[in-house]
Amino acid sequence: MRIATDIGGTFTDIVYITQNGEIGIEKAHTTPPNFEKGVIDVIKKSKIPTEAVISLSHGTTVVINSLTERKGAKTALITTKGFRDILEIARGNRPDLFNVRFEKPKVFVPRYLRLEVEERINYKGEIINPLNEDDVKRCIDYFKKEKVEAIAVVYLHSYINDIHERETVKLIKELWPEVYVTGSYEITKEWREYERSSTTVLNSYVKPIAAKYVDKLYEELEEINIRSPKYIMQSNGGTTTFEKAKESPINMVESGPVAGIFGSAMLGKLLGEQQVIGFDIGGTTAKCSLVDGGEVKVTTDYKIEKTNITAGYPIKVPVVDIVEIGNGGGSIAWIDGTNSLRVGPQSAGALPGPVAYGLGGEEPTTTDANLLVGRLSPKNFDMEVDMERVRDAVKEKIADSFDMSVEEAALGIIRIANSNMLNALKLISVRKGYDPREFSLVAFGGGGPMHAAPLARELGIKKVIIPVAASVFSAWGMLMTDLRQDDIQTFNVRLDKMNLDKFNCEWEQLEDKAIAEYGEKGIDEDNVVFVRYLDMRYWGQEHTVKVQIPNVEISEGDISEIIERFHVEHEKNYSFRIDDSLTEIVNLHLTAFGKVEKVEIKELEIKPYSLDEAIKEVRPVTFESIGKIDTNVYDREKLSPGMKIDGPAIIEEVTTSTVVYPEMEVIVDKYGNLIIKTEV
């Protein structure tokens, strides 16, 4: 069997697929700060025969947690003379021009640990001043005295010529082998000095913690007899080896969330749906991403901790274009200074968790609200739920303040949470020039199936897909992924002045590099598949759009087709095109997939139950604008392909519940997915 494990804010999930396509799932509580313990716990809880595992994929939050909690290594920066303060100067970008509360992000490397060395390469890659190795040695001696644990090396224009960075990294490793070091050439070959500096520093900052975590997890997996190839999910939607992950851990910054988005794309292809929105609601956050034409969208303009008062920290590595908000099952409902009800972004997390968990949580959450309106059943929890305690928490903290009933307060919490999630869905679709009515919504995570139907109706989405094993779908997505690496090389040239021989030669070099790296991982050249993109813009513009081009040698006759593809993408992104304007290439972007063997998904067998026999109970459920309705509650395990259920209905499984509103219907497809039609 092949297995995948995914660490979430509240639960750690496992999905396993046997050789004949049968799927199994299990969940265990996440165990901060020793996250590897949760992984081992869930494997043991699933009772799988570990000697039968032929591959393991893993999604982790260790990198993003280290960054947001500021628990990384003491990090230093070596840079070109005159550029010591580039991290502090940053960009002048503001969320809006008149935001008087704007604050510049606090740098991860204080000024006393940012040192300069004499060297200079110009924008053409020509050496102006050679590297002064004595300066580098002086930096090393100083950093040793300061007990630095990691060093970032970023020189001007090293994206076009990295020789000085390579020499510096080599010298550091010779003179101080114990320290962790990252050269920007190892992480990104794109221009923009501030963004490259930020990315390299953040990689160094998390490198020691990530390396220890990966090594510890590897050892513990070996101890329980999982000795198969092991892979870690990257932010670009593909996987990499444990060893490679230790070298560039910044590529794991969104390791867990993107797996579900990639799984949404794969499920869409399986069901003949090329346009889907992946929507994941976990315990702490809600995440969504748009898949157009079956392709997951990847960006290098990713930022962490960007808010309405801070510009955040740029990370210039390929990350699936994902919108994430602090609203999940554990999000806390609270009343702000203007006496308005708010939900999130604070979360009760895994500990103490919602009030319903009985682990000490006292603040009402979205999960508690769903219990009170009947959408969740206390019988479906793996612990005893004290409903009186849940009711009292919502009454004291919310209902009494607004002089309303507990049920009304609970419904208010759900409506506020839904409103927050709706904004996230609009950010990924309407705000980017896409009509959500042309898409299907794939909803997963513990909370996705509960909240998806009303959100889809609000956006005009006609079809919601609730996959099999919805609550652990991100882990399922990992089982569908290939190895992936993205090489992005700045190649700034106007298309009317392009040297085609040089252009095609650059692609060949990128492909040869990818084939060599995959060869080291044991992947044959025949199993490496390339996809080419260009980052393009109009002459004189600042930012780019990504354009896919044919994976062939480009000739003069192909240029007009590439320009037309750019015009189409630009109009989609910015709502206009300038047909008579000059165009230019900024970056070459090569995606190399290393194909790995996957198990085919098995069709669901007919169960020996009628639709009436699948009803567990009838219970009152409260719906917005309608009130309380006696609602059939179905056991998903007893549903067979082809069965049709009219709303209102609740479809329960061990780890989540699907809520179907009145005047909607659900059909079980041949794979066991629930297809909700929001308009009947």
Side-chain angles (χ1 to χ4, degrees):
M1 61 177 63
R2 299 180 68 230
I3 70 172
T5 58
D6 175 42
I7 298 174
T10 309
F11 291 103
T12 296
D13 306 332
I14 185 170
V15 173
Y16 50 94
I17 300 185
T18 63
Q19 289 293 74
N20 59 8
E22 292 173 356
I23 297 175
I25 69 169
E26 191 55 81
K27 293 174 89 74
H29 285 282
T30 295
T31 54
N34 303 312
F35 292 100
E36 67 282 349
K37 182 180 181 301
V39 176
I40 303 303
D41 287 349
V42 79
I43 291 172
K44 288 178 177 176
K45 191 176 176 183
S46 70
K47 297 180 179 170
I48 59 169
T50 52
E51 66 282 354
V53 175
I54 59 171
S55 82
L56 175 141
S57 300
H58 178 59
T60 177
T61 52
V62 68
V63 170
I64 191 70
N65 287 344
S66 298
L67 292 172
T68 56
E69 295 170 14
R70 300 296 190 272
K71 291 181 178 175
K74 187 174 183 180
T75 305
L77 172 68
I78 298 177
T79 191
T80 305
K81 192 173 183 181
F83 289 84
R84 178 184 189 181
D85 294 317
I86 198 162
L87 282 179
E88 203 115 34
I89 296 167
R91 297 279 177 203
N93 302 354
R94 288 172 177 246
D96 63 75
L97 282 174
F98 305 103
N99 193 331
V100 295
R101 295 187 302 143
F102 174 77
E103 296 174 5
K104 274 205 169 177
K106 290 183 177 143
V107 292
F108 277 77
V109 182
R111 196 169 196 269
Y112 78 96
L113 291 178
R114 305 195 301 263
L115 299 185
E116 302 172 346
V117 299
E118 191 178 346
E119 70 83 38
R120 194 62 181 261
I121 289 171
N122 69 11
Y123 74 99
K124 296 178 183 176
E126 301 163 343
I127 297 175
I128 307 250
N129 291 326
L131 175 68
N132 185 329
E133 292 193 357
D134 288 337
D135 280 356
V136 177
K137 291 173 183 174
R138 174 180 52 80
C139 292
I140 294 170
D141 290 340
Y142 175 74
F143 292 150
K144 280 182 178 178
K145 289 175 190 169
E146 293 295 335
K147 295 184 169 49
V148 162
E149 299 166 273
I151 300 173
V153 181
V154 187
Y155 292 150
L156 202 64
H157 302 305
S158 63
Y159 60 87
I160 202 76
N161 183 353
D162 58 23
I163 185 168
H164 287 171
E165 278 192 9
R166 287 182 180 275
E167 288 173 358
T168 302
V169 170
K170 185 183 175 192
L171 190 59
I172 292 170
K173 286 180 176 177
E174 285 173 0
L175 298 177
W176 194 8
E178 301 84 14
V179 79
Y180 290 85
V181 60
T182 305
S184 78
Y185 69 90
E186 301 171 83
I187 304 299
T188 176
K189 302 279 273 195
E190 268 191 82
W191 67 2
R192 299 190 187 280
E193 297 311 310
Y194 167 59
E195 286 78 5
R196 277 198 310 117
S197 300
S198 171
T199 307
T200 310
V201 162
L202 294 181
N203 189 77
S204 287
Y205 184 77
V206 298
K207 203 169 183 178
I209 282 180
K212 285 167 192 166
Y213 169 77
V214 170
D215 284 340
K216 198 167 181 183
L217 178 60
Y218 184 89
E219 288 167 12
E220 297 207 12
L221 289 170
E222 290 281 314
E223 274 181 30
I224 61 170
N225 208 26
I226 294 181
R227 305 217 162 100
S228 60
K230 301 172 185 66
Y231 305 107
I232 283 187
M233 194 74 196
Q234 298 183 107
S235 305
N236 61 7
T239 53
T240 189
T241 60
F242 272 39
E243 207 54 43
K244 183 79 174 170
K246 290 195 300 185
E247 290 304 309
S248 50
I250 201 65
N251 283 305
M252 298 190 289
V253 70
E254 288 287 1
S255 173
V258 301
I261 305 305
F262 187 83
S264 299
M266 293 300 99
L267 183 61
K269 286 180 180 177
L270 185 68
L271 302 181
E273 300 279 348
Q274 295 295 306
Q275 291 180 293
V276 301
I277 296 173
F279 183 47
D280 175 12
I281 304 177
T284 309
T285 58
K287 301 163 278 283
C288 55
S289 184
L290 184 138
V291 178
D292 185 22
E295 295 298 320
V296 173
K297 295 193 167 298
V298 172
T299 179
T300 56
D301 291 327
Y302 174 77
K303 294 180 176 66
I304 61 166
E305 299 183 20
K306 183 179 178 181
T307 69
N308 62 337
I309 61 168
T310 176
Y313 302 88
I315 296 180
K316 205 102 179 123
V317 296
V319 178
V320 169
D321 192 5
I322 196 167
V323 169
E324 185 168 351
I325 61 166
N327 257 248
S331 292
I332 293 169
W334 54 288
I335 296 170
D336 68 13
T338 63
N339 203 38
S340 298
L341 177 61
R342 306 280 292 274
V343 179
Q346 306 95 325
S347 173
L351 281 171
V355 178
Y357 286 8
L359 300 174
E362 295 178 356
E363 304 297 328
T365 66
T366 311
T367 295
D368 298 314
N370 277 306
L371 264 166
L372 289 170
V373 297
R375 301 182 188 188
L376 283 175
S377 168
K379 302 171 197 166
N380 225 22
F381 284 67
D382 60 0
M383 72 279 290
E384 193 73 33
V385 177
D386 185 342
M387 285 301 293
E388 278 308 308
R389 202 153 165 267
V390 174
R391 180 175 288 276
D392 289 345
V394 173
K395 183 178 185 300
E396 291 168 17
K397 304 280 183 175
I398 308 296
D400 287 351
S401 298
F402 296 107
D403 193 23
M404 59 171 57
S405 71
V406 171
E407 283 74 17
E408 285 175 319
L411 203 58
I413 292 169
I414 292 167
R415 290 174 70 180
I416 297 291
N418 281 351
S419 176
N420 294 336
M421 294 168 192
L422 187 68
N423 285 335
L425 288 168
K426 285 179 179 176
L427 283 172
I428 208 69
S429 56
V430 179
R431 296 283 186 89
K432 297 200 173 180
Y434 293 93
D435 185 346
R437 293 172 295 184
E438 297 172 359
F439 290 77
S440 295
L441 187 67
V442 179
F444 53 96
M450 279 192 292
H451 295 266
L455 295 172
R457 178 177 275 176
E458 185 85 17
L459 285 167
I461 295 172
K462 295 177 178 63
K463 185 188 288 186
V464 178
I465 302 165
I466 310 295
V468 175
S471 66
V472 294
F473 187 70
S474 287
W476 183 89
M478 290 178 212
L479 294 176
M480 298 296 109
T481 60
D482 292 305
L483 292 169
R484 172 173 174 159
Q485 63 184 51
D486 289 82
D487 279 308
I488 301 175
Q489 173 68 59
T490 292
F491 185 84
N492 189 214
V493 63
R494 245 170 49 189
L495 270 82
D496 61 330
K497 294 183 175 181
M498 187 162 69
N499 181 328
L500 281 173
D501 290 336
K502 188 178 179 187
F503 180 72
N504 287 313
C505 182
E506 287 285 341
W507 284 116
E508 283 178 28
Q509 289 176 9
L510 288 173
E511 289 184 359
D512 289 344
K513 174 175 173 259
I515 289 168
E517 289 182 4
Y518 274 129
E520 292 172 8
K521 298 173 186 174
I523 304 291
D524 294 334
E525 185 176 341
D526 294 341
N527 288 324
V528 180
V529 177
F530 297 111
V531 182
R532 294 180 180 182
Y533 301 93
L534 295 175
D535 291 330
M536 296 177 65
R537 64 187 182 184
Y538 290 118
W539 178 247
Q541 262 187 328
E542 169 69 1
H543 296 290
T544 63
V545 295
K546 200 168 287 293
V547 180
Q548 187 173 345
I549 65 168
N551 191 25
V552 294
E553 186 170 308
I554 300 299
S555 63
E556 199 71 46
D558 298 317
I559 299 296
S560 58
E561 168 63 18
I562 290 172
I563 292 173
E564 177 56 27
R565 289 189 185 194
F566 163 68
H567 286 316
V568 170
E569 285 297 321
H570 191 279
E571 187 171 20
K572 191 180 286 184
N573 279 268
Y574 299 110
S575 78
F576 71 94
R577 57 188 283 166
I578 313 173
D579 289 306
D580 57 351
S581 176
L582 295 168
T583 54
E584 68 173 332
I585 296 168
V586 175
N587 300 312
L588 312 181
H589 179 173
L590 180 71
T591 300
F593 293 98
K595 294 291 180 181
V596 295
E597 186 185 349
K598 299 180 194 69
V599 179
E600 281 192 26
I601 302 304
K602 192 178 179 183
E603 293 185 11
L604 185 68
E605 294 178 359
I606 302 291
K607 304 290 178 65
Y609 306 100
S610 67
L611 190 57
D612 286 342
E613 288 172 327
I615 297 175
K616 295 171 73 172
E617 63 176 335
V618 177
R619 72 169 178 256
V621 178
T622 308
F623 293 93
E624 299 94 317
S625 307
I626 299 169
K628 200 171 284 188
I629 304 175
D630 284 341
T631 303
N632 288 341
V633 179
Y634 294 85
D635 184 348
R636 187 169 182 176
E637 292 298 313
K638 293 183 178 179
L639 299 180
S640 296
M643 283 184 171
K644 190 178 92 168
I645 299 170
D646 293 320
I650 304 288
I651 302 171
E652 287 186 347
E653 49 196 295
V654 176
T655 51
T656 189
S657 293
T658 300
V659 178
V660 185
Y661 274 56
E663 298 178 5
M664 295 184 183
E665 72 173 28
V666 185
I667 295 172
V668 184
D669 76 1
K670 64 182 180 180
Y671 298 106
N673 302 302
L674 303 178
I675 311 297
I676 303 175
K677 293 183 178 178
T678 60
E679 293 181 6
V680 181

